[in-house]
Amino acid sequence: MLATDRIVAAPKRLRWQTAEVCEVIAETPRVKSLVLHVTDWPGHLPGQHVDVRLTGEDGYQAQRSYATRSPKPDAERRTHR
């Protein structure tokens, strides 16, 4: 192995987590911030993206990606739509 070679670990497999919407904040008439509570949230950095998937009672699913804000010290996080 050369000095420039590195062993890179495989990324940890991501899993879907259940979130509770704690608050909806109307930032503008078209933009809302969601305050989510996720029990085992691993944390994030500002500007990272979170994929949110909603599942209806009939099984229909919709998925979108949202940007995150600065992390709070507890498990609540804000995302922008």
Side-chain angles (χ1 to χ4, degrees), residues 15-46:
R15 63 182 176 81
W16 289 105
Q17 297 184 45
T18 301
E20 178 184 349
V21 178
C22 299
E23 186 179 0
V24 178
I25 303 165
E27 304 287 357
T28 71
R30 295 187 59 185
V31 176
K32 294 178 176 55
S33 289
L34 304 177
V35 179
L36 305 175
H37 174 76
V38 181
T39 302
D40 294 324
W41 186 254
H44 67 276
L45 298 172

Side-chain angles (χ1 to χ4, degrees), residues 34-69:
L34 304 177
V35 179
L36 305 175
H37 174 76
V38 181
T39 302
D40 294 324
W41 186 254
H44 67 276
L45 298 172
Q48 286 182 319
H49 288 82
V50 175
D51 291 326
V52 176
R53 180 173 66 190
L54 303 175
T55 304
E57 291 180 7
D58 63 355
Y60 172 80
Q61 292 184 338
Q63 180 177 324
R64 290 188 68 178
S65 183
Y66 295 88
T68 61
R69 276 193 183 174

Side-chain angles (χ1 to χ4, degrees), residues 1-10:
M1 181 183 298
L2 300 173
T4 57
D5 292 341
R6 294 185 322 182
I7 297 174
V8 178

